[in-house]
Amino acid sequence: MGASPAVEEAECASPSSGTAAQPHGNSGTSSDGGRDIAASFLAKNAAGQRITITPADSARVLRRIDIVILPLMLTVYFLQGLDKATLAYSSVFGLIDDTGLVGDQYSWLGSIVYLAQLVMQAPLAWLLVRLPIAKFTSAMVLFWGVSLACMAAAHNFGGLLTTRFFLGVFEASVAPSFVAITQMWWRRREQTVRTSYWYAMNGITNMFGSLITYGLGHISSQLHSYQIIFMFFGIITVAFSFVMLTFMPDSPVEAKFLSDDDKLIAVERLRMNQMGVISREWRNDHLKETLLDPKSWFWFALLFSISIPSGGISTFGPLIVRTFGFDPFETILFNIPFGFVQLVATLGGAFVAQKIKMKGPVIAGLCLPPIAGCVMLMVLPRDTSSKAPLLVGYYLISVYPGITPLIYSWASQNTAGDTKRKCSNAVLFIGQSIGNVVGPLLYTEAEAPSYSRGLRSNLALYIAIIVLVGITTLYLKMLNRNHSKRRVAMGKSAVIVDTSLDSPEEVAAAAEAAEAAAAAQQSRASGTEDIRNAEEGDAAATTSNEEIERPGERAFENLTDLQNEEFVFVY
């Protein structure tokens, strides 16, 4: 147990503004202004004072959070990846022939999951604001495990379509919930890598899921191999839902694994995010702002553009590899390197983005290998001599999953206010769902082995993502300039030093440098001030003690990124 966090006198107003910081007053919220529960927690447990955190205390609490929260998220997302991939795995074990699928029916089994997720996004935004997020997500994990196990009883297109629809309904909450959970536990600097950790489970799925499926496919039983696959993964998912329900807290202030002092540190660590934690109060003004905010639609367009290739490859990937001339078991095994490349791209992209403190350039860079891979699969012939180059092209395409978590992080780190965050996530995942619905429909068995229409569309979309990144970055820079002008008009500093993307060591070093500069400035002014005081008394003495503006005083007032003039947009 570390030392209790130090506290310092809270500033009730931005020092240079001369007015008390008040909650947004025209939103029709409750008498407390709809403030974040973190604000109430700090008021109750820190006596209205602002917490000062040492790098050692921040690191210690971060380790506690990582040890408890991350394994739960990683396991659930690994299971979700497995559960979604069961259709692709089962396709090479006779599912299509045994259930009499014809035409584009197999494509629809891939799309129906995302169609269900599309339908669920709007109600999910409200549910994630109003309900305890950990308990709600645990219930959804339970129900999707049941849905997957029930797929073993489906013997035709209608049965498979129904169970896949319910699988999509219950899985729909996982990614939005995890984005929200990441926002409420980690600083903006930490969010990018943590998001990549749980999203990288898709790569682990492609590696170890292929091995598990390979083993399950060799089981001798009266059941078909794909029925064993459905039941095995479904039962494991159901069991883990109870583990998540037991150990996942609904917010930092409700975490049993943190002491009261550590809860204060966990909340205070999030101040410079300027995003709040959670309010459990629905705000219609946040919803309106989300729909009118161009950023929302940039995130929509980016995730829509990457989800079309993602939906197509995740459903047809094994079938594409099979056209290279491999048997079903070889096809499954050759999907393992796909997962490894996906894992490296996801984690590597996140670490580069954290290092350079920008996501846009990394997203654009990650589009280049898939562009090359699409071109290779489009021009290379499907013959024995081309097996190796075709696999290389396929593995180059597998870099694309590194893009999606960076878009998640980019969008979430540029959005504040509890309701707006959830609504923005809904817009984001509606784009993803539509893209994933469309993606598999661009690939049909009739176009095998070239799948030219799907590959051409994917190529165009990777290029479109690069263009969208440039437009989005320019817009975010414009928003920062607008906020700077607002601060000047309010009598505040035009420049805010954003430390939310800095390491604790960088924050401490910057604070020491600022203190040293302030001391030097005060020392230079002291001589002049002595003369002035001798002539004018003490009237001017207060000017030497002018307070330095400290951002973050409005961080827990449940303000949106556009309402809070201290919010800094990141690229």
Side-chain angles (χ1 to χ4, degrees), residues 118-185:
L118 170 64
V119 172
M120 285 296 295
Q121 291 310 316
L124 275 173
W126 186 87
L127 291 168
L128 289 174
V129 171
R130 297 291 296 167
L131 298 181
I133 192 167
K135 296 180 180 65
F136 172 71
T137 306
S138 299
M140 294 298 100
V141 174
L142 169 65
F143 292 137
W144 107 50
V146 172
S147 300
L148 180 62
C150 288
M151 284 184 66
H155 301 290
N156 53 41
F157 175 67
L160 289 171
L161 192 71
T162 301
T163 51
R164 291 281 293 178
F165 176 82
F166 283 107
L167 182 68
V169 165
F170 299 125
E171 280 190 346
S173 69
V174 176
S177 295
F178 278 17
V179 170
I181 289 169
T182 304
Q183 288 173 319
M184 77 164 66
W185 284 99

Side-chain angles (χ1 to χ4, degrees), residues 185-262:
W185 284 99
W186 288 282
R187 297 174 60 235
R188 282 209 285 192
R189 171 185 173 83
E190 300 154 358
Q191 289 173 11
T192 304
V193 172
R194 269 57 181 192
T195 300
S196 76
Y197 286 161
W198 54 259
Y199 193 84
M201 290 300 101
N202 287 324
I204 301 294
T205 295
N206 283 325
M207 294 169 63
F208 293 99
S210 297
L211 290 174
I212 296 170
T213 305
Y214 183 86
L216 293 174
H218 281 84
I219 294 176
S220 298
S221 171
Q222 293 181 342
L223 297 174
H224 294 291
S225 295
Y226 57 83
Q227 290 176 310
I228 295 174
I229 292 170
F230 293 148
M231 292 181 64
F232 178 82
F233 292 130
I235 292 170
I236 289 178
T237 302
V238 168
F240 194 80
S241 68
F242 293 99
V243 177
M244 185 178 188
L245 179 64
T246 302
F247 294 103
M248 175 73 82
D250 292 308
S251 73
V253 302
E254 298 161 289
K256 295 179 181 179
F257 68 89
L258 294 176
S259 67
D260 288 342
D261 287 342
D262 285 351

Side-chain angles (χ1 to χ4, degrees), residues 155 165 188 248 336 459 483 515 527 542:
H155 301 290
F165 176 82
R188 282 209 285 192
M248 175 73 82
I336 295 174
L459 176 62
H483 271 7
E515 290 176 3
T542 55

Side-chain angles (χ1 to χ4, degrees), residues 472-487:
T472 304
T473 301
L474 291 175
Y475 183 71
L476 294 173
K477 290 183 177 181
M478 185 191 76
L479 290 178
N480 275 340
R481 288 195 296 270
N482 291 344
H483 271 7
S484 179
K485 293 176 182 177
R486 282 180 58 194
R487 290 193 295 271

